[in-house]
Amino acid sequence: MTDQLQRFIFDDYQIRGEIVQAHNSFHEIIKNHDYTTEVNNVMGELLIATSLLTATLKFEGKIAVQLQGDGPLNLAVINANQDLQLRGTARVEGETAGLTFKQLVGKGHLMITITPDNGERYQGVIAIEKDSLSECLEDYFEQSEQLATRIILHAGSRDKTLAAGLLLQTLPAADENHEEDFHHVCALASTIKEDELYSLERDELLYRLYHQEKVRLFEAQQISFKCSCSKERCLTSLASITQQEILGLLQERGAIDMHCEYCASDYHFEIDDLKILLDDQHHTQH
Ligand SMILES: [Zn+2]
């Protein structure tokens, strides 16, 4: 089982596709958190969804796919960059056992934020009205880009750390004949069993679904977990508060402890660790 995403295209239809399978990256995202099965599975689906969206980025940058609502799963977010390095976190308040996707998130929104390294930030928001994340994403593409999209997402049902998904989408320039083709390709995709999506090799999976079609596969892309937190980044964020405030915190608690919500790393700073920062501030202030 590898953590990979593969794009493909039909030679005879104006339709593109992606298959993604994740295991290690999913495990890394959930391992330091005490999520219930229900929250765990949403994180897995969100990880797959974010990978599917990231694979189409045509520039260097970041993407965040976020669920926000008034349900016990207040917030769930996966961040990724163009190299398919991902991290994620969830904020849970209250009981989540036995709840459906919609009950978990409650009344809320799906938010997709794309931040190019060079260029304007783009944010798309859609109300969560459907019963599953995949249907919400299909709505998103329909509304924001007028692209017929079929998304299949699975996570956690076979093994706690297995997640997989499939995306089919008409190309932006598709002519009016594409609807029938799209329907045909989606009907075949719906025959795939959850277990097959987790475990079959991607070319085998595509052959099983589309052996009567001409399908071209692009080179597979690796998916991995990566958290961008570091001691240096903590110091940078501490540099944004005043010297007096830092000294105040040190006096109050004896040390400053910072915690990464994504990977659960802890960073501990005592006065000696902050000397440079305090001196720097001292110099810049005078
Ligand atoms: Zn971290």
Side-chain angles (χ1 to χ4, degrees):
M1 182 75 201
T2 52
D3 286 55
Q4 285 191 329
L5 180 142
Q6 191 141 25
R7 298 168 63 197
F8 58 93
I9 195 153
F10 293 90
D11 274 354
D12 299 328
Y13 308 132
Q14 293 164 314
I15 298 167
R16 67 176 198 91
E18 294 172 30
I19 290 183
V20 58
Q21 296 170 320
H23 170 49
N24 291 329
S25 51
F26 186 16
H27 176 66
E28 289 293 326
I29 282 174
I30 59 169
K31 73 173 185 187
N32 294 324
H33 302 273
D34 196 17
Y35 299 142
T36 57
T37 307
E38 289 76 6
V39 172
N40 182 74
N41 296 356
V42 170
M43 292 306 283
E45 288 197 4
L46 207 54
L47 159 69
I48 295 299
T50 308
S51 311
L52 292 170
L53 293 174
T54 306
T56 63
L57 284 184
K58 290 173 186 73
F59 47 78
E60 309 258 295
K62 296 186 192 73
I63 185 165
V65 182
Q66 185 171 330
L67 293 165
Q68 219 173 333
D70 63 4
L73 179 59
N74 296 176
L75 173 88
V77 61
I78 300 283
N79 296 337
N81 61 20
Q82 74 281 348
D83 297 325
L84 285 167
Q85 294 175 319
L86 303 102
R87 66 174 189 166
T89 190
R91 199 168 59 216
V92 181
E93 277 170 40
E95 284 296 318
T96 57
L99 298 189
T100 63
F101 170 76
K102 226 175 161 186
Q103 291 167 332
L104 283 169
V105 183
K107 201 168 145 38
H109 294 90
L110 167 69
M111 224 179 291
I112 295 166
T113 310
I114 296 168
T115 314
D117 287 347
N118 300 299
E120 290 273 305
R121 177 173 148 144
Y122 165 82
Q123 194 166 59
V125 183
I126 184 171
I128 293 167
E129 279 161 356
K130 297 286 172 62
D131 294 329
S132 66
L133 177 60
S134 55
E135 290 170 291
C136 290
L137 282 163
E138 288 168 6
D139 273 3
Y140 170 81
F141 280 110
E142 190 73 62
Q143 290 179 25
S144 69
E145 306 192 30
Q146 287 82 47
L147 294 175
T149 307
R150 175 84 180 95
I151 294 176
I152 298 173
L153 300 173
H154 291 302
S157 51
R158 183 178 182 228
D159 173 305
K160 199 178 167 220
T161 57
L162 280 186
L166 177 76
L167 173 143
L168 294 164
Q169 189 171 62
T170 53
L171 296 175
D175 58 43
E176 63 260 29
N177 297 324
H178 77 274
E179 256 178 61
E180 206 177 305
D181 298 337
F182 189 67
H183 186 77
H184 166 68
V185 164
C186 290
L188 289 171
S190 68
T191 64
I192 191 90
K193 293 187 184 72
E194 191 170 341
D195 217 40
E196 294 175 323
L197 198 54
Y198 288 136
S199 56
L200 284 185
E201 293 287 337
R202 289 175 306 277
D203 50 356
E204 196 186 336
L205 197 77
L206 286 171
Y207 181 77
R208 191 165 291 195
L209 291 176
Y210 302 119
H211 57 274
Q212 288 177 326
E213 324 293 338
K214 274 183 232 139
V215 178
R216 235 177 328 141
L217 275 72
F218 295 93
E219 204 178 322
Q221 292 167 269
Q222 191 70 31
I223 299 172
S224 59
F225 169 84
K226 191 181 184 198
C227 192
S228 51
C229 72
S230 66
K231 199 167 182 178
E232 290 67 35
R233 286 203 167 201
C234 289
L235 285 171
T236 306
S237 68
L238 280 175
S240 67
I241 63 173
T242 66
Q243 189 176 7
Q244 282 77 9
E245 282 171 311
I246 292 173
L247 289 169
L249 284 168
L250 285 170
Q251 210 158 37
E252 193 183 306
R253 304 172 191 174
I256 295 178
D257 288 296
M258 297 177 85
H259 177 76
C260 176
E261 283 181 34
Y262 288 89
C263 69
S265 290
D266 288 307
Y267 296 94
H268 181 79
F269 299 98
E270 294 188 14
I271 189 147
D272 285 346
D273 306 312
L274 298 166
K275 272 247 156 64
I276 297 167
L277 190 65
L278 294 169
D279 288 347
D280 273 349
Q281 287 209 347
H282 183 77
H283 289 308
T284 53
Q285 275 166 11
H286 296 277

